[in-house]
Amino acid sequence: MNIAKTAGLVLALLMASGCAGPELDDGQAPRLQETFAPAHRQKMPDLAGTAIDGRPIAVHDYRGNVLVVNAWASWCGPCRAEARDLSAVHTTLRTRGVRVMGVDTDASRAAGAAFAREHHLTYRSLHDPKIVQLLRIPKGLVNPQGYPYTFVVDRQGRIAAARMGQISRAELDALVEPLL
């Protein structure tokens, strides 16, 4: 087997395991979290396209709200584990101006829709199977080949926080609260 095929196989196995790279001693993928002071926040690109429900969706639909953007795939274990917490944030903080928008990277829209039904997602998700939209995210904030990852966008449309790896309700609350 040549080097390119071997590297591709290793990457595919890492992605299938829901892992973005090397593991820590506890078996978890390393987590990266960064928050940005207002003066250092970059503009969130207007990710746009068709949602898994077949209707148009775009980041600009949520302007004026604090927006949590979460990239996920149905085969990703950590994505499955965090889905309930993302839905809870979308539902319970909605009256305070917080919204969640998912970005589904599954090859088929049907797989993403099945995931949304199975996990009772209360928010909509952009279908981005070739990660064309996600590659518009400013470079260096996350590894776009590892899932899940999450951005918190302030009311002015700027990235206030970036998080690589599974995120909990408590972590989401801590990132969102200062922006309310």
Side-chain angles (χ1 to χ4, degrees):
M1 191 181 299
N2 69 33
I3 293 174
K5 285 184 180 177
T6 303
L9 178 60
V10 169
L11 180 60
L13 289 172
L14 284 172
M15 289 176 68
S17 69
C19 188
E23 292 186 352
L24 301 174
D25 289 338
D26 64 0
Q28 295 291 317
R31 294 182 182 183
L32 168 70
Q33 178 172 307
E34 190 164 0
T35 56
F36 305 98
H40 299 287
R41 293 178 185 165
Q42 298 179 58
K43 183 174 173 25
M44 178 68 177
D46 191 20
L47 310 181
T50 305
I52 58 176
D53 63 11
R55 297 181 297 149
I57 188 171
V59 165
H60 73 258
D61 296 339
Y62 300 95
R63 279 281 143 68
N65 293 291
V66 172
L67 178 63
V68 176
V69 178
N70 177 259
W72 59 272
S74 65
W75 46 261
C76 164
C79 301
R80 297 171 90 67
E82 72 182 6
R84 179 182 299 157
D85 287 340
L86 288 157
S87 284
V89 164
H90 181 75
T91 302
T92 61
L93 296 179
R94 186 174 186 84
T95 60
R96 296 183 65 197
V98 177
R99 302 293 187 275
V100 174
M101 176 180 158
V103 181
D104 165 35
T105 60
D106 283 298
S108 88
R109 186 173 286 131
F115 176 91
R117 281 190 308 276
E118 177 184 344
H119 294 281
H120 309 288
L121 298 187
T122 58
Y123 54 91
R124 298 181 64 222
S125 293
L126 170 69
H127 185 237
D128 190 20
K130 295 182 180 178
I131 66 168
V132 171
Q133 294 298 308
L134 287 173
L135 287 176
R136 298 176 61 216
I137 300 294
K139 304 289 184 244
L141 294 179
V142 296
N143 173 359
Q145 295 177 328
Y147 303 106
Y149 51 90
T150 304
F151 299 99
V152 177
V153 181
D154 66 17
R155 292 181 191 273
Q156 292 75 41
R158 302 170 303 172
I159 299 170
R163 174 71 156 73
M164 189 82 208
Q166 182 179 331
I167 195 162
S168 71
R169 170 71 191 267
E171 291 166 315
L172 280 166
D173 286 343
L175 291 172
V176 167
E177 193 64 37
L179 304 174
L180 297 178

